[in-house]
C-alpha cells in the first residue's frame, strides 16, 4: 500500500533525440556522451539532453557542500510555505506545497532530515516527490516493457535514475543495495529477454511494477467509478479464462486472483464502488487489502530496523500520505489514526533531540524536565 526510447531489448534512457550514440554504462557516462554530441554536432543536428541526462550532469557538476544544500532547501521550503500561506507541508495527510521544483539533492536533504532542519511533514512531502520523480523516470520504459517485454530497458532506466543521485544519497547503504539489485536484474533480463527477473531481494523495479499495477488504465488519476467499471470488466474476463482448480469462474465463489491489481483498483472492489461487485468479491478484496496492508507495515518495519528511531514512524506517515482516499478507507487508515501517528512521531523526534548520539544528555537544548513541563 506503501510510475527511453527502446531499441529491441536494449534501451538508452538518456537519448531524447533522433541522433545515434553508443549506449553508456552509467548515467554519468550517458550524460557525457550526450553533452559531447551537443558540442560536436553540425548545425543541421539539434541535440537535446534528456531529463535523466540533465540530472546526471547536474549531480556531477554540483560542487555545493551538504550544509549549502540544506540551507538552500530550507530557504526554498520557507518560501513555498509562505506563498501557500501554510504552516505545515501536510494538512490531513495531503501536501499543501509543491516541491517538484526542488533539485534531487535538496529533496534528499529534506527527506533524510539532514542537519535536523526539517519537520516530519516536510520529510514526507519530499519523500513522495522523490518517488514521483522516480516513477516518471521509469514510466516510458515500463510502458515499452509491457508491449515488447523489454525488461532490460526498464532496468537500465532504473540504474540511470539511481546513478543520477547526489553524494549524500550515494553514501547511504540503501543506495548500494538498490544498485546491486538493479545490476542483478539487468543481468537476468539481458540473459533471458522477455522474462521478468526474479528472486532478487529488495528489487526496486519489481516493487515499482507492483505499485503501478497493470490491468486497469490510469487507476491513480481516473474517477473511482470508472476504475470500478474497468475492474468489473477485467474480473469477468479473468473468470472466463480461469482453468486452475479452485480459481473463481464466477463472482460468487472460488479464489480470485487480485495479484495484478493496484491498490486503488482493489479498494474499488473492497468498497463496492458503484454496487458492481458481489459479496464474495468484496470479501476477497477486503482480505487482500488487509494482507497487503500487513505486509507493507511489516516491510516498513524491517527496512527501517537499524535506522534512527524516527524512521519507522516517518515511513508509516509517508505511506498514509501516498494513499488515495479510497485506499485509506479500505485499509482503515482514518484521519484520527494519521493525527496520532504525527503526534507520536513529533514526540519521538523531540525526545530524540534531548540526547546525543552516544546516549548522553544534550545540554545545549531544552532539558527533559523543561519539555515535560
Amino acid at each position: 500500500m506503501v510510475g527511453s526510447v527502446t531499441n529491441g531489448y536494449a534501451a538508452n534512457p538518456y537519448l531524447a533525440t533522433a541522433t545515434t550514440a553508443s549506449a553508456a554504462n552509467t548515467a554519468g557516462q550517458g550524460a557525457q556522451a550526450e553533452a559531447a554530441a551537443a558540442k560536436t554536432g553540425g548545425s543541421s543536428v539539434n541535440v537535446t539532453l534528456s531529463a535523466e541526462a540533465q540530472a546526471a550532469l547536474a549531480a556531477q557538476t554540483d560542487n555545493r557542500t551538504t550544509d549549502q544544500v540544506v540551507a538552500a532547501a530550507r530557504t526554498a521550503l520557507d518560501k513555498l510555505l509562505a506563498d501557500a500561506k501554510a504552516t505545515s507541508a501536510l494538512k490531513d495527510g495531503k501536501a499543501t506545497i509543491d516541491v517538484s521544483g526542488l533539485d534531487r539533492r535538496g529533496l534528499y536533504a529534506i527527506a533524510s532530515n539532514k542537519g535536523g532542519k526539517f519537520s516530519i511533514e516536510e520529510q514526507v512531502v519530499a519523500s513522495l516527490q522523490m518517488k514521483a520523480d522516480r516513477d516518471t523516470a521509469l514510466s516510458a520504459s515500463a510502458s515499452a516493457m509491457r508491449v515488447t517485454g523489454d525488461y532490460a530497458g526498464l532496468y537500465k532506466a532504473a540504474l540511470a535514475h539511481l546513478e543520477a543521485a547526489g553524494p549524500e544519497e550515494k553514501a547511504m547503504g540503501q543506495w548500494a543495495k538498490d544498485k546491486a539489485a538493479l545490476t542483478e536484474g539487468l543481468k537476468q533480463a539481458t540473459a533471458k529477454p522477455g522474462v521478468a527477473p526474479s528472486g532478487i531481494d529488495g528489487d526496486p523495479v519489481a516493487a515499482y511494477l507492483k505499485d503501478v499495477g497493470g490491468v486497469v488504465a490510469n487507476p491513480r488519476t481516473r474517477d473511482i467509478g470508472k476504475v470500478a467499471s474497468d475492474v468489473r470488466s477485467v474480473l469477468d474476463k479473468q473468470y472466463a479464462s480461469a482453468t486452475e482448480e479452485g480459481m473463481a469462474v464466477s463472482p460468487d465463489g472460488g479464489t480470485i486472483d487480485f495479484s495484478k491489481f493496484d491498490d486503488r483498483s482493489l479498494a474499488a472492489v473492497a468498497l463496492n464502488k458503484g454496487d458492481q461487485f458481489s459479496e464474495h468479491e468484496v470479501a476477497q478484496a477486503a482480505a487482500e487489502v488487509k494482507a497487503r496492508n500487513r505486509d507493507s507495515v511489516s516491510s516498513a518495519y524491517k527496512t527501517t530496523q537499524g535506522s534512527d528511531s524516527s524512521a519507522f514512524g516517518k515511513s508509516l506517515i509517508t505511506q498514509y500520505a501516498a494513499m488515495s482516499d479510497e485506499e485509506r478507507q479500505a485499509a482503515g487508515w482514518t484521519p484520527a489514526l494519521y493525527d496520532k501517528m504525527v503526534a507520536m512521531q513529533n514526540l519521538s523526534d523531540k525526545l530524540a533531540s534531548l540526547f546525543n548520539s552516544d546516549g548522553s544528555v544534550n545540554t545545549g537544548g531544552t532539558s527533559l524536565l523543561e519539555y515535560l513541563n
Side-chain angles (χ1 to χ4, degrees):
M1 310 283 300
V2 144
S4 57
V5 179
T6 61
N7 178 22
Y9 282 106
N12 186 340
Y14 313 111
L15 216 50
T17 71
T19 61
T20 58
S22 60
N25 291 328
T26 65
Q29 291 172 323
Q32 291 168 354
E34 284 191 63
K39 291 179 181 179
T40 60
S43 59
S44 62
V45 179
N46 182 22
V47 178
T48 303
L49 295 182
S50 64
E52 210 60 45
Q54 292 177 30
L57 282 176
Q60 289 180 345
T61 58
D62 187 351
N63 295 319
R64 293 176 297 169
T65 66
T66 298
D67 288 343
Q68 289 173 325
V69 172
V70 169
R74 182 66 269 167
T75 298
L77 280 181
D78 289 341
K79 185 177 187 309
L80 288 172
L81 289 167
D83 290 346
K85 295 181 174 57
T87 58
S88 172
L90 283 176
K91 183 177 181 181
D92 300 327
K94 297 182 179 179
T96 60
I97 56 175
D98 179 6
V99 296
S100 60
L102 274 63
D103 64 272
R104 182 160 170 177
R105 284 187 73 189
L107 286 172
Y108 184 75
I110 300 168
S112 58
N113 195 21
K114 288 291 183 183
K117 301 291 185 181
F118 307 101
S119 69
I120 182 63
E121 293 85 357
E122 291 165 347
Q123 294 171 50
V124 168
V125 170
S127 296
L128 292 175
Q129 184 59 50
M130 291 187 72
K131 180 179 182 295
D133 291 344
R134 187 280 314 268
D135 291 354
T136 298
L138 300 188
S139 61
S141 294
S143 296
M145 179 276 296
R146 291 188 179 97
V147 176
T148 65
D150 181 18
Y151 285 95
L154 181 54
Y155 276 90
K156 285 182 180 180
L159 276 166
H161 181 71
L162 189 72
E163 290 286 2
E168 297 85 6
E169 193 174 346
K170 286 184 175 181
M172 301 303 293
Q174 188 60 50
W175 187 91
K177 291 178 181 177
D178 287 346
K179 183 171 182 180
L182 291 173
T183 300
E184 173 60 24
L186 178 58
K187 179 181 177 182
Q188 289 189 26
T190 303
K192 295 183 178 180
V195 178
S198 61
I200 304 173
D201 186 33
D203 183 354
V205 166
Y208 162 77
L209 291 174
K210 182 178 180 180
D211 183 47
V212 299
V215 296
V216 173
N218 304 317
R220 306 297 302 178
T221 56
R222 297 177 69 211
D223 174 77
I224 191 64
K226 294 180 180 179
V227 171
S229 295
D230 282 356
V231 172
R232 175 72 274 158
S233 177
V234 171
L235 283 175
D236 289 342
K237 291 178 181 178
Q238 184 171 296
Y239 300 150
S241 61
T243 57
E244 294 184 29
E245 184 177 355
M247 297 302 293
V249 296
S250 76
D252 301 314
T255 301
I256 303 173
D257 181 10
F258 284 116
S259 62
K260 294 183 179 180
F261 287 83
D262 67 281
D263 291 335
R264 190 163 186 253
S265 299
L266 186 62
V269 183
L271 298 174
N272 196 14
K273 290 295 182 178
D275 294 322
Q276 301 187 61
F277 306 99
S278 69
E279 290 185 6
H280 179 70
E281 289 172 325
V282 170
Q284 290 235 326
E288 177 69 14
V289 168
K290 184 178 180 180
R292 290 190 189 185
N293 188 51
R294 180 183 63 248
D295 290 345
S296 64
V297 172
S298 176
S299 176
Y301 179 74
K302 291 178 181 178
T303 301
T304 55
Q305 279 187 312
S307 303
D308 64 273
S309 59
S310 67
F312 179 55
K314 184 173 75 172
S315 178
L316 292 182
I317 295 171
T318 303
Q319 186 173 317
Y320 179 95
M323 289 178 175
S324 66
D325 291 339
E326 296 81 14
E327 289 170 78
R328 293 171 185 169
Q329 185 181 351
W333 289 54
T334 64
L337 175 61
Y338 169 78
D339 290 340
K340 287 182 180 179
M341 287 193 296
V342 172
M344 291 178 64
Q345 187 61 40
N346 287 334
L347 175 61
S348 175
D349 288 347
K350 186 65 178 180
L351 290 175
S353 71
L354 303 178
F355 301 92
N356 298 315
S357 58
D358 61 0
S360 61
V361 176
N362 179 7
T363 57
T366 304
S367 73
L368 181 58
L369 285 178
E370 288 173 330
Y371 175 68
L372 293 176
N373 289 328

